[in-house]
Amino acid sequence: MSDVDQSNPEAEIEAIKHVIATVERAQNTESPDEFLGLFRADAIYTTAGGTRLFGLDAISAFTRQVLLAACQNTAAPADEVASTSNSRPVFDPH
């Protein structure tokens, strides 16, 4: 996914909607490749159980083994963007 113009809130919301639609479609069609296409090589993903996965290789292994297998024969719930807020890292130099 390309970078989104952060000075354009409508573009940011459309990008979020695109990600949600891609996740839903990937789950409904059991397509790990489509889901994994959302991640950069250096991504960090936290599972529903709280386990952190570092890097696309770890996320891919988890997804192919666990995540999408859990969705077999079930439809992913429909999600929608209800609200957004800007979240930026806060660094404490001390």
Side-chain angles (χ1 to χ4, degrees):
M1 173 171 270
S2 63
D3 290 326
V4 176
D5 179 3
Q6 294 181 1
S7 66
N8 183 343
E10 291 82 19
E12 287 187 307
I13 291 171
E14 286 306 311
I16 292 167
K17 288 179 180 179
H18 172 76
V19 169
I20 290 170
T22 301
V23 170
E24 288 177 349
R25 187 174 50 253
Q27 289 177 334
N28 286 331
T29 61
E30 299 177 19
S31 174
D33 292 329
E34 188 170 17
F35 178 75
L36 294 167
L38 296 170
F39 294 92
R40 296 176 3 171
D42 63 347
I44 300 171
Y45 179 78
T46 304
T47 69
T51 302
R52 282 192 180 169
L53 305 173
F54 296 89
L56 187 54
D57 289 342
I59 297 166
S60 177
F62 172 81
T63 299
R64 293 178 192 285
Q65 257 185 347
V66 179
L67 184 63
L68 294 178
C71 296
Q72 286 183 331
N73 302 318
T74 63
D79 295 310
E80 65 181 61
V81 177
S83 67
T84 63
S85 64
N86 263 341
S87 172
R88 300 288 184 248
V90 177
F91 297 99
D92 182 1
H94 299 23

